[in-house]
Amino acid sequence: MSRRDELEAWYDALNPREQLLVRYGALAAIVLIVVGVVLQLHGAVRAAEQRVATKRAEAAYIQSVLPELRSRPLPAGGGQSLVMVVDRTTRDAGLALNLKGTEPSGISGVRVRFEGASFEQLVTWLLRIQQEYGLAIQAATLEKTDAPGRVNASLTFVRS
């Protein structure tokens, strides 16, 4: 005897009043399941609608500020990292051999260390990166060396 046959035999053994109760109970269970599924779907649709509305608001904001962002000039150095700017400009200024260390300092800063650099070349380089790239000296330490006109320098720059 299969499981279905056993269930039918059990149902047939019930009196008519109990059979009616079982039918209504099964119908109520089906209705509760359907209502539960519909409520879950409704909640998911509502959450998706809220996400879409948020994304639309963000897109509208981006569209509203886009002309302003496009009208602004690129930051000096074309948006290059400060480490890249320092590396390229020290090579251009003839200070690459004296550059002994470059490391990021905070979010918008860079720390640079020179050893035995020409003071004149260093000052010329400092003026250039300030004027062309908008870098400002946050901290500086200069030490003279035994060689005339040569210094050791530790400098920290930030975008101004």
Side-chain angles (χ1 to χ4, degrees):
M1 188 176 230
S2 73
R3 185 85 174 145
R4 182 176 178 178
D5 292 337
E6 287 177 13
L7 190 59
E8 284 180 14
W10 171 80
Y11 182 76
D12 290 339
L14 296 175
N15 67 42
R17 188 173 176 184
E18 290 172 334
Q19 287 179 353
L20 186 64
L21 184 63
V22 168
R23 275 186 252 155
Y24 284 135
L27 181 63
I30 291 171
V31 168
L32 284 175
I33 290 171
V34 169
V35 168
V37 168
V38 168
L39 287 176
Q40 288 290 330
L41 289 175
H42 179 69
V45 168
R46 175 169 285 188
E49 287 173 343
Q50 287 176 340
R51 285 193 307 271
V52 168
T54 301
K55 296 296 182 189
R56 284 186 177 151
E58 290 171 354
Y61 171 74
I62 290 170
Q63 289 295 327
S64 72
V65 298
L66 196 58
E68 180 184 342
L69 293 175
R70 285 186 177 150
S71 68
R72 290 184 182 177
L74 281 176
Q80 296 176 12
S81 74
L82 294 180
V83 173
M84 296 289 291
V85 169
V86 167
D87 181 61
R88 186 170 39 77
T89 56
T90 53
R91 277 188 275 123
D92 293 346
L95 291 168
L97 295 176
N98 304 103
L99 182 63
K100 299 302 177 190
T102 305
E103 60 185 55
S105 174
I107 295 173
S108 62
V110 65
R111 188 172 298 120
V112 182
R113 191 172 43 87
F114 294 96
E115 290 181 7
S118 163
F119 181 76
E120 287 183 27
Q121 285 178 311
L122 189 62
V123 170
T124 303
W125 175 73
L126 290 171
L127 290 171
R128 177 181 175 204
I129 63 170
Q130 182 181 14
Q131 292 170 352
E132 293 181 21
Y133 297 96
L135 299 183
I137 298 174
Q138 185 179 40
T141 304
L142 298 172
E143 301 170 353
K144 74 177 191 173
T145 63
D146 293 336
R150 299 278 175 182
V151 293
N152 294 333
S154 178
L155 308 161
T156 303
F157 298 98
V158 292
R159 287 198 196 269
S160 54

